[in-house]
Amino acid sequence: MDPSFEFAASLLAGLGLLLAGNKLVSDHLKLLTGRHFRDRIPFLNAHPLAAALAGILSGFVTWNSRTTTYIVASFVHSRLMSVRQAMPIALWANTGCALLVYTAVLPLKTLVLLLVGFSGLCLFFEAPSRYRNTYGAVFGLALLLLGLTLIKASEAGFLIDTQRAALHGLLKASPLFSFLLGLLLTLLAQSHLSIILVALAMTEAGFFPTLDPVVMIVLGAHAGNSANTYLFGWRFTGLSRQVVIAETLCAATGVVLFAGIVAAGHGWDYPVLNAFARWWTLDIARQAAAVTLLFNLTVPLFCSALLTPYLTLVQRVCPASDDDSQAHTVYLQAYMGNQPETAALLAEQEHLRLLKRLPAYLDELRLTRERSGGPGPTAYHQAFGSLSGLVLEFLLEALQRDAALETSERLLNLQNRQRLLVAIEEDLFGLFEILRDRRGQGKAGRLGLSIVESLDTLLLTAIAAAESGDAHERELLSVMTADRGEMMERTRKHYLSMEQSLTPDDRSLILYITHLFERTAWSIGQYGRLLDRTAARAAGGAPEPSA
């Protein structure tokens, strides 16, 4: 077999194992890290140093600072912590990744083989089952390190000496080319750590005989990671986006700072970094790992030392939006224990708070024109989707804990009610979108206003029934949401019979809003039946069968 082909196959296998292992580690540890953070938020909020250490640990175990940044940004979004409390965790996550980089250049071949065998057997037999995510992450880590071992063994032999010399000459002669190479590969691979580890593995194999080009590839990889964090953090807005911006600006500041150190030297012979690297070790790969560690220690230290002015800068770059107050939980953040009964009580209050928001869509349609300022239905809709997701996630986590049968049934009932709430909110927002420009204009618009009034009555009755638990309110809601098919069919025929005075758009609108009313009324009726089941259980009677 051609040696060049064998070397290329070895390199390709190494890259495949490295990227697959990185994905396995990330997938298995995301859940563990999120829950770990959530259970320890009160302690982290009270101790900034502990928050920085948590960021380092999270970066080390997740292999991705972006994951940590998004986790704490979601906590800011749900008001579990402030931006100032979240920033140290996000800023120090890359330091944990750098510690992992240095660990990867140590001679660990025998340990890697043992990890592959042990974790692979655990994964196959799924034992112990309660640690499935843990040994899945260990298996991913073992695959990643095995991939690095294969890359080192390939010695980049798929390139003949002249080609290797030419590429290395280009990297050495052009710092910008090395930087852009690291940046581009990180944008493609979506993992700056993978690119840095590959560069270090090739350095150990002798592909980079000097430290210079590796440092610029590392800087380019960090710049690419900052770009990925910013681009994929588009879903965060307002306060939560400030965390994303803080981490992005921190890394970008570090890249500029270290690039300035390079520029301050004579060509590639920048004495500060070379002196530090040679003092640390004579091995070039470990020198590069040491410089990476230095980069990820000095930059967050610099930003943490100037945290107050840095936070002010971030707030100017990304001001809090007017809608932030709409997009956070009030009751769920008080839950930090392991009591499903308490979780059910808090989720009930958060759910009721969301239910009380729904009439706002209908109130908006009663106005003769759209409001000129303040959050409107579009902001309510965006916030509702986010909050509803948090409530459902909270209920799911509570259901996974040991609970009495009655508590589990209550949590399931809340989960079903929350899903109905999502459907009702979607329909109400759809009604607002279709009627916002008509507001009582024409026959279809006037019919729309009649439907608005009917839905408002149904919602207020549902709110009263959920809030008071009164049997009379629940019975009234049941009567009001009884099958209205015949009534709506007569209404449709009445309006559609006016063919001469109706435009095609009016006819389509009448069909849409009447069907939407029927669907919303049915959902509210189902919601009332779930309230009946809750009341029956609380009274000790047999619950009614669900429809």
Side-chain angles (χ1 to χ4, degrees), residues 288-351:
V291 171
T292 303
L293 184 58
L294 177 67
F295 174 88
N296 288 289
L297 280 172
T298 56
V299 174
L301 188 62
F302 174 77
C303 292
S304 297
L306 302 173
L307 189 59
T308 299
Y310 184 54
L311 177 58
T312 302
L313 173 63
V314 170
Q315 291 170 341
R316 288 181 180 177
V317 173
C318 180
S321 66
D322 294 334
D323 304 333
D324 276 334
S325 59
Q326 300 291 327
H328 70 275
T329 60
V330 171
Y331 298 98
L332 299 190
Q333 57 187 318
Y335 178 74
M336 296 297 170
N338 189 26
Q339 298 83 28
E341 295 79 9
T342 305
L345 289 171
L346 294 173
E348 183 91 46
Q349 294 301 313
E350 199 70 56
H351 171 86

Side-chain angles (χ1 to χ4, degrees), residues 42-55:
F43 180 76
L44 298 179
N45 287 346
H47 301 83
L49 181 58
L53 292 175

Side-chain angles (χ1 to χ4, degrees), residues 125-149:
F125 291 107
E126 295 188 354
S129 59
R130 63 181 299 184
Y131 297 115
R132 185 180 294 108
N133 284 327
T134 301
Y135 55 70
V138 172
F139 184 69
L141 170 63
L143 287 184
L144 190 149
L145 294 175
L146 183 61
L148 288 176
T149 303

